[in-house]
Each structure stands twice: as C-alpha cells, then as structure tokens.
Amino acid sequence: MAHGRHIKVLGRGAPALLGDAPNVESTLRGLIDLLGMRLLDKPHMYEVETEIAKLGVEPFEDEGGVTGICVLSTSHCSIHTWPL
C-alpha cells in the first residue's frame, strides 16, 4: 500500500509572531497554497494562554502558544507553536 506525502517542519521564529493566532493562520494558509493542497473550510485556530505556575512541569504542558488545524481535501494540516 502506497502512503501519501507527510511533511514535518520544525521552525523557529520571533515569540511575538509564534503567539499570534492570525499570523500563524496566515502562515499555515500560505504553506497549504504553496503545496497545492485544497482547504475545505476555514482553519480552526486556538490561542493557549501561558500558565506560569505550570512551567516547571513536563515540557509542552500549558506553555502557551497557538494550536491550529486545517481540514484538507485529502488529509489535514496542523500546527502547534510554543513561543517560550
């Protein structure tokens, strides 16, 4: 059975941009367009507030940032940012 293309990107950038949902959505839409994929509906973006009291626990637990998901005609595309 042939499998489709999977792309994983680890990026770094300015914390202010990584924590800004409209900026992250715009970047995600641009990537989808660049790859020639078809978005079926608007992206679902969620801003996660930083909970300073939890920063001493396991990595990525409520460290703030943006989580987004796009449903595509053939799959999905998701993004998670951790500005800290």
Side-chain angles (χ1 to χ4, degrees):
M1 172 187 247
H3 296 286
R5 175 175 49 172
H6 289 80
I7 300 170
K8 182 176 181 179
V9 177
L10 173 61
R12 298 185 186 273
L17 295 176
L18 292 172
D20 179 56
N23 177 67
V24 174
E25 179 180 339
S26 175
T27 301
L28 193 56
R29 283 178 180 269
L31 179 60
I32 290 167
D33 287 343
L34 182 68
L35 294 172
M37 300 176 128
R38 184 166 54 107
L39 186 60
L40 294 180
D41 199 0
K42 66 180 182 117
H44 297 276
M45 306 301 293
Y46 304 91
E47 290 187 22
V48 181
E49 292 186 27
T50 303
E51 294 187 38
I52 299 298
K54 292 186 176 183
L55 291 181
V57 299
E58 293 297 317
F60 307 124
E61 183 177 330
D62 295 322
E63 291 183 13
V66 176
T67 295
I69 185 84
C70 295
V71 178
L72 307 173
S73 61
T74 56
S75 188
H76 70 280
C77 184
S78 62
I79 190 167
H80 310 283
T81 70
W82 290 278
L84 297 177

